[in-house]
Amino acid sequence: MTATQTVEERIREFVLKHFPLARKKGLTPGEKWLESGVLDSLGILDLVHFLEQDLSLHLADEELIPENFESLEAVGLFVRAKLKGSPVEKV
């Protein structure tokens, strides 16, 4: 991880490294991970753990909704809003 990586690049790198189907299929920003099978519910928990550890985020239970974790684009928007301290807008 470098200082110049965007949030999305860091998330993309994590998903590609930890989920074989993501490597096989590739990742597009709007692809819905649960629907396509790239991630399952346990994969989402792994992603949440990564976000909390790597980006030092604290995610509240009420933020753990499918809309925040359905795609690279959705996670990126969610994380950037959290990092700015602003409320997360629904897409």
Side-chain angles (χ1 to χ4, degrees):
M1 175 179 71
T2 65
T4 59
Q5 280 184 307
T6 66
V7 168
E8 286 85 356
E9 288 169 338
R10 291 167 75 178
I11 296 165
R12 180 182 184 79
E13 184 178 281
F14 172 81
V15 171
L16 288 171
K17 181 178 178 183
H18 290 89
F19 302 100
L21 191 56
R23 288 190 300 275
K24 182 178 180 182
K25 292 178 74 173
L27 290 177
T28 58
E31 177 184 16
K32 296 191 179 205
W33 291 339
L34 290 170
E35 288 178 16
S36 67
V38 170
L39 270 73
D40 58 14
S41 57
L42 291 177
I44 297 295
L45 291 177
D46 288 340
L47 177 59
V48 167
H49 179 75
F50 163 76
L51 296 174
E52 290 181 329
Q53 296 299 309
D54 193 67
L55 300 175
S56 301
L57 292 178
H58 172 72
L59 304 181
D61 288 344
E62 58 271 6
E63 295 173 316
L64 301 178
I65 57 173
E67 293 82 11
N68 288 338
F69 299 94
E70 69 183 359
S71 67
L72 179 59
E73 182 177 56
V75 177
L77 288 170
F78 171 69
V79 168
R80 277 190 267 111
K82 288 284 290 180
L83 291 171
K84 289 180 183 175
S86 61
V88 178
E89 293 182 22
K90 301 279 189 253
V91 179

